[in-house]
Amino acid sequence: MRLNARVPENAIAFLSSFLVFPEPGILLGEGSSLKIAPLFKERGKLSPFLFVDPSFSSSPLLGKLLSALSEEGLTPHVDFPAAGEPDVPMVNDAYGKAMKAGADSYIALGGGSTMDLTKAVMILHAYEGKKDLSSFAGLLRVHRKLPFSLFIPTTAGTGSEITPCAVVSSHHGSPKKAIMSYRLVPSYAVLDPLYLASLPEKAAAYGVLDALSHAVESYLNRPGDPLVASNARMAVHAILGEGAAFVHDRRDNERNLRLLRASYQAGRAFSKGYVGYAHALSHALGGSHGLPHGFLNAVLLPIVLASYGRKAHPSLAELEATLESSFASPREGAERFLTRLKRLNEALGIPVSLDLELSAEEVNRLARLARKEANWLYHVPVVFNEEELGRILLTALKRT
């Protein structure tokens, strides 16, 4: 099984090394979101549809954004999708609203869930609603050009403003499925630190820990790829250096911007390097048991990395070295890095295990889903089978 998985993994890694990595245009800095209207006007897009996180429904920042668009002759339409990660019924409902409003372009203002939903709506828009969204799940199944879009992240976490993927479940409570295509990279990303000031502390913590998991897992997959390596290292350095301070106090807009950039860099890294078993298990657990993605990644990442054993030591030691740490061997460097992750989790209130009661059948089901997602797609240091993934999951459960 391990050899069978490695053959397509190696083929994907080899072929992706020749890909030209698509990137959005970027605006950054305080108030940069108020300068976007010309980007729509010069393309003749005068009816943007905004999907906005409900927490910003009464925000002065949203009011200023809508005024800036209207003053330039645009007719923006706004919808506040239900809180939570998107499923197909939510996407279909949102698509219907956008079509009724005559949307010709899109703005996503929110965290990962809002941006994932917006990407999914854009897919339906491109295909005129004639294909079911579930048919796009998997790798490179979106072939049409998507509408012009601009994404404004309100968390320093998912990196969805640069990534070529969206995660959507088929219905509430079902496992999440990833849609991966470079067509999903937004036209523009706007990194405006003002939107992070009101972010709740728990959401801020889950966000930076999600970004950290993107950077670490992609680096372990592709440590020799210059694009992946440089972005992952910069993201790890920023998050481990300032992540805790950011979570506890978001009044410093310069620091907010540095963490936004770290999230963007981590997204840039995993867009090419992909992620690993922490994400695969997180997707399986999150869809079925309603736990936040960033929280699950934070709990699972140290356990998964330790499970890789010596195969992960060189890469983890290299990440530890970016923090100006000295050590005698790759193993010592790796152990120091794992200790850093655990200390950051502790500082941000993340438990060492999950408070869940899962039957043996459920553990096996989740392990099977994680294996199906990861094996042959993610170029992980060690290929695990379902039994091994089940043991990792059991290690993460509080009752063990």
Side-chain angles (χ1 to χ4, degrees):
M1 187 278 292
R2 299 178 204 275
L3 179 61
N4 290 341
R6 280 301 189 205
V7 172
E9 280 179 8
N10 289 332
I12 289 174
F14 175 75
L15 291 173
S16 66
S17 66
F18 295 99
L19 290 176
V20 177
F21 185 81
E23 293 189 47
I26 186 168
L27 300 177
L28 69 165
E30 291 184 36
S32 54
S33 59
L34 302 181
K35 303 173 184 178
I36 64 175
L39 299 174
F40 289 85
K41 288 184 67 177
E42 66 190 27
R43 291 166 176 81
K45 306 299 183 183
L46 302 180
S47 186
F49 199 94
L50 285 76
F51 289 110
V52 179
D53 186 290
S55 64
F56 283 88
S57 60
S58 58
S59 170
L61 291 172
L62 176 61
K64 292 178 180 179
L65 173 60
L66 295 175
S67 295
L69 294 172
S70 299
E71 288 169 3
E72 292 290 335
L74 277 67
T75 306
H77 306 273
V78 183
D79 184 55
F80 302 98
E85 294 168 335
D87 56 33
V88 170
M90 288 173 60
V91 173
N92 289 338
D93 179 66
Y95 169 68
K97 292 177 180 177
M99 292 301 95
K100 186 176 180 179
D104 60 13
S105 51
Y106 292 90
I107 297 174
L109 175 64
S113 296
T114 301
M115 291 190 275
D116 280 351
L117 180 135
T118 305
K119 289 181 179 181
V121 169
M122 290 162 55
I123 294 171
L124 295 182
H125 186 138
Y127 283 85
E128 301 173 336
K130 295 178 180 178
K131 293 188 70 174
D132 185 84
L133 187 65
S134 60
S135 66
F136 298 101
L139 186 64
L140 301 177
R141 294 181 179 175
V142 180
H143 305 299
R144 294 188 182 181
K145 182 178 180 180
L146 271 55
F148 181 77
S149 62
L150 186 147
F151 281 30
I152 307 171
T154 61
T155 65
T158 68
S160 192
E161 69 277 4
I162 184 176
T163 60
C165 59
V167 179
V168 181
S169 58
S170 58
H171 57 272
H172 181 68
S174 67
K176 303 173 188 177
K177 294 183 178 180
I179 302 171
M180 293 174 281
S181 169
Y182 287 106
R183 294 287 190 183
L184 270 63
V185 176
S187 308
Y188 275 84
V190 178
L191 307 185
D192 190 334
L194 296 176
Y195 289 92
L196 271 59
S198 61
L199 187 65
E201 186 168 303
K202 186 175 290 186
Y206 294 167
V208 296
L209 293 170
D210 190 19
L212 182 60
S213 69
H214 294 156
V216 173
E217 290 205 294
S218 63
Y219 189 82
L220 263 66
N221 292 350
R222 302 287 297 280
D225 185 289
L227 185 146
V228 174
S230 62
N231 281 278
R233 286 171 175 166
M234 287 187 288
V236 166
H237 189 275
I239 294 167
L240 289 177
E242 296 191 281
F246 162 76
V247 169
H248 296 314
D249 182 3
R250 288 165 305 290
R251 293 172 295 179
D252 184 338
N253 280 319
E254 291 185 1
R255 184 170 60 213
N256 289 358
L257 182 57
R258 288 194 291 272
L259 269 296
L260 274 173
R261 295 192 74 164
S263 173
Y264 183 91
Q265 289 161 340
R268 195 168 186 249
F270 95 82
S271 292
K272 189 174 184 183
Y274 298 108
V275 284
Y277 287 119
H279 270 78
L281 287 165
S282 176
H283 288 154
L285 267 167
S288 300
H289 296 275
L291 294 170
H293 179 65
F295 167 79
L296 286 170
N297 283 343
V299 174
L300 289 164
L301 184 62
I303 299 170
V304 169
L305 296 180
S307 299
Y308 288 141
R310 61 184 179 81
K311 291 285 188 178
H313 288 171
S315 293
L316 294 177
E318 288 166 8
L319 290 175
E320 175 67 15
T322 67
L323 303 165
E324 300 179 2
S325 172
S326 59
F327 41 85
S329 67
R331 178 176 179 174
E332 182 185 344
E335 290 174 349
R336 286 193 180 191
F337 188 77
L338 288 173
T339 298
R340 284 185 191 272
L341 296 186
K342 293 172 183 177
R343 286 177 178 168
L344 179 60
N345 278 354
E346 183 180 4
L348 299 183
I350 303 297
V352 297
S353 56
L354 301 172
D355 189 7
L356 284 176
E357 292 288 340
L358 302 181
S359 67
E361 291 78 12
E362 177 65 356
V363 169
N364 291 338
R365 186 184 75 87
L366 295 172
R368 185 164 56 252
L369 288 171
R371 191 240 356 127
K372 185 177 180 181
E373 175 184 330
N375 289 354
W376 80 259
L377 181 59
Y378 301 159
H379 200 258
V380 288
V382 180
V383 176
F384 293 140
N385 58 30
E386 288 177 23
E387 182 180 352
E388 290 163 327
L389 288 169
R391 285 200 294 268
I392 291 171
L393 191 51
L394 286 172
T395 302
L397 296 176
K398 188 174 183 178
R399 59 187 170 87
T400 61

